[in-house]
Amino acid sequence: MKKVILLLVLIFCTMAGAKQSSESEKKEMLKQFILFQEAIKNKNGKVLASMIDLSVEDNIALVLDPDGNFPKGIDYGTLLTEKLITANIGRVTENLQSLTYIKIDPSTLKVTNYFLDNASAEDKNRKFVYDDKEYSYYYKDKNNKKVYLPDARIWDERVDLSFEDEAFYILHTYTPNKLTPKEPEGDGGMAYQFSFKNGKLKLSEMYVND
C-alpha cells in the first residue's frame, strides 16, 4: 500500500498545474471507456488499437504472456501496432482484463470500483499470527501445528478509477486483508494512465507497481 500511495503522489505531481477536466469531459471519458471495456470483452483489436497510444514504447508490454515472454521477434523497443494487437489479441485482452472489473452505469455514468475480499469462510474463523522471522502469517490447525500462508498474507484485490486533472487513472492492486493486515515491503499491481485529447480517450501509459 505504501507504494500505491507513493505512486499516487508521483502521478499527482506530474499533473500539477494542468487544467481540471469539466464534468461534461468526464462524462465523455466514461462513455468512451465503456467502449474500451467492450472492446476488451469482445476481443476487438481494431477498436483497442484506436484507443491505445501506439507511440509509447512501453505499451508493447501488452503482448507479454503470463510468464513475461514476448512473441517471437518482438522485444522492448518494438512499437505496438494494430497488426500486433490483432495477432496477439488473447494476450492483450488478458493483460487488460482487470479494467473490465470496474462497473459504469451507462445511463447515469456512476462508477463502481472493484473490490474482492479473498478471505474464505474458514479464514474468518481462524486466528492469524505474524511471524517476524518468516515474514509470514500463520494459523494453528486442529493438531496445534502452525500452518503458514503460502503467500504470507491473505491478499485482497482492488481496481480503482480516479480522475486527476486532464485524465484518469486506474490502479489494479493487491492489498493485505484485514485479517492479515501487516504491510509488506511491496504489494504489487499496475497503474493505467488514460489521456483525453481532442475529445478522444486513449490508454497512454502503464506503470508497474512492484
Side-chain angles (χ1 to χ4, degrees):
M1 180 58 73
K2 293 176 182 176
K3 286 200 172 186
V4 173
I5 293 172
L6 176 60
L7 181 59
L8 285 171
V9 171
L10 289 173
I11 290 173
F12 177 79
C13 290
T14 59
M15 297 297 292
K19 78 175 184 69
Q20 296 289 323
S21 298
S22 67
E23 287 304 309
S24 61
E25 287 174 326
K26 289 179 180 179
K27 289 180 180 179
E28 182 58 31
M29 288 183 210
L30 292 177
K31 288 178 182 178
Q32 292 186 33
F33 183 63
I34 291 174
L35 298 178
F36 188 78
Q37 290 180 311
E38 290 175 351
I40 296 171
K41 295 174 184 177
N42 297 328
K43 297 187 176 182
N44 190 325
K46 185 176 181 66
V47 173
L48 287 174
S50 72
M51 300 186 74
I52 296 171
D53 190 337
L54 304 180
S55 69
V56 177
E57 286 188 3
D58 288 348
N59 287 345
I60 194 64
L62 283 170
V63 298
L64 287 169
D65 69 12
D67 295 321
N69 300 313
F70 281 110
K72 187 176 180 180
I74 305 300
D75 205 342
Y76 283 110
T78 304
L79 285 177
L80 196 61
T81 63
E82 181 181 331
K83 183 177 180 180
L84 276 175
I85 290 174
T86 302
N88 299 278
I89 193 64
R91 294 187 182 194
V92 173
T93 53
E94 180 65 26
N95 288 326
L96 294 173
Q97 191 64 34
S98 62
L99 302 188
T100 67
Y101 298 169
I102 293 173
K103 303 301 180 186
I104 301 173
D105 187 308
S107 57
T108 65
L109 296 179
K110 178 183 177 182
V111 176
T112 302
N113 290 321
Y114 176 82
F115 175 76
L116 179 63
D117 183 335
N118 276 314
S120 67
E122 291 81 5
D123 288 333
K124 293 174 182 177
N125 290 317
R126 291 167 175 156
K127 179 181 179 180
F128 292 94
V129 179
Y130 186 72
D131 187 328
D132 288 306
K133 293 183 179 179
E134 297 293 332
Y135 304 104
S136 176
Y137 279 91
Y138 67 86
Y139 64 90
K140 290 187 177 180
D141 64 15
K142 61 183 179 181
N143 297 316
N144 207 37
K145 181 180 178 181
K146 291 181 180 180
V147 178
Y148 286 88
L149 296 179
D151 296 314
R153 291 162 181 76
I154 299 168
W155 295 96
D156 292 336
E157 184 179 10
R158 60 187 310 132
V159 186
D160 299 288
L161 183 153
S162 59
F163 285 97
E164 296 284 351
D165 296 316
E166 296 182 22
F168 68 74
Y169 300 86
I170 294 176
L171 294 179
H172 178 202
T173 55
Y174 295 88
T175 55
N177 184 272
K178 61 185 178 182
L179 297 177
T180 58
K182 188 175 177 63
E183 293 284 356
E185 287 300 313
D187 44 11
M190 287 288 297
Y192 302 84
Q193 176 187 340
F194 284 80
S195 63
F196 188 67
K197 297 178 181 178
N198 300 318
K200 301 293 184 183
L201 180 74
K202 285 196 174 187
L203 172 62
S204 53
E205 293 184 78
M206 301 179 295
Y207 303 89
V208 178
N209 179 51
D210 57 10

